[in-house]
Structures are given as structure tokens and as C-alpha cells.
Amino acid sequence: GIRRIVLPARNEADTEKIPEDVRKDLEIIGVTKIGEALDATLEKLVSNPPPEMPAPSVLHEGGNSRTEPEAMRVREG
């Protein structure tokens, strides 16, 4: 079921080892930067962007109103 392959551009020549009947059904994308890999692999939200996050002052579970996130406790030792 794989239809898109993202690989380092310097490895594109290795795709010639894939049989032509398999390769013709693939989209092979060579990238040189991580941003290119992200663009090629992550979906873009164009027509339906996610809803905005609620303001920090919104009531949280238990009815407590908080304006700042609770600090994480770090155990030392």
C-alpha cells in the first residue's frame, strides 16, 4: 500500500533497483532538508483549519480557574 517514498536526494539513484512495474506506481521524493521531508509527508490544513485553543483562563476540570499552567514537579536525587 505504499505509494510515496521520501528519501535523501543522494539515494535517489538507488531507486533504479526497484522493478519498473513497481516504480511506476510510486511517487519518489528526494529531499535535502528536513523541511522538505516535512512538507512531503505532513498533511496541510487548508480548507478546515483546527479550532483555536481556549484561553488559559477557561475553567478546567473540577471548576478551578487557572491563568498559568501548573508547574511540573521534578524529583531530584
Side-chain angles (χ1 to χ4, degrees), residues 1-68:
I2 296 174
R3 297 287 174 237
R4 178 182 295 165
I5 298 174
V6 179
L7 64 131
R10 65 177 178 243
N11 293 100
E12 282 184 274
D14 295 332
T15 62
E16 294 175 10
K17 298 174 185 174
I18 300 171
E20 179 58 35
D21 61 318
V22 175
R23 204 172 11 159
K24 69 177 175 60
D25 293 329
L26 295 176
E27 178 183 5
I28 300 172
I29 303 170
V31 297
T32 57
K33 298 179 180 161
I34 190 69
E36 294 171 344
L38 293 174
D39 287 342
T41 57
L42 298 178
E43 293 182 23
K44 292 177 179 48
L45 297 173
V46 177
S47 60
N48 293 318
E52 291 187 29
M53 296 294 292
S57 62
V58 171
L59 290 178
H60 293 277
E61 196 174 308
N64 295 329
S65 178
R66 297 184 183 144
T67 56
E68 295 181 16

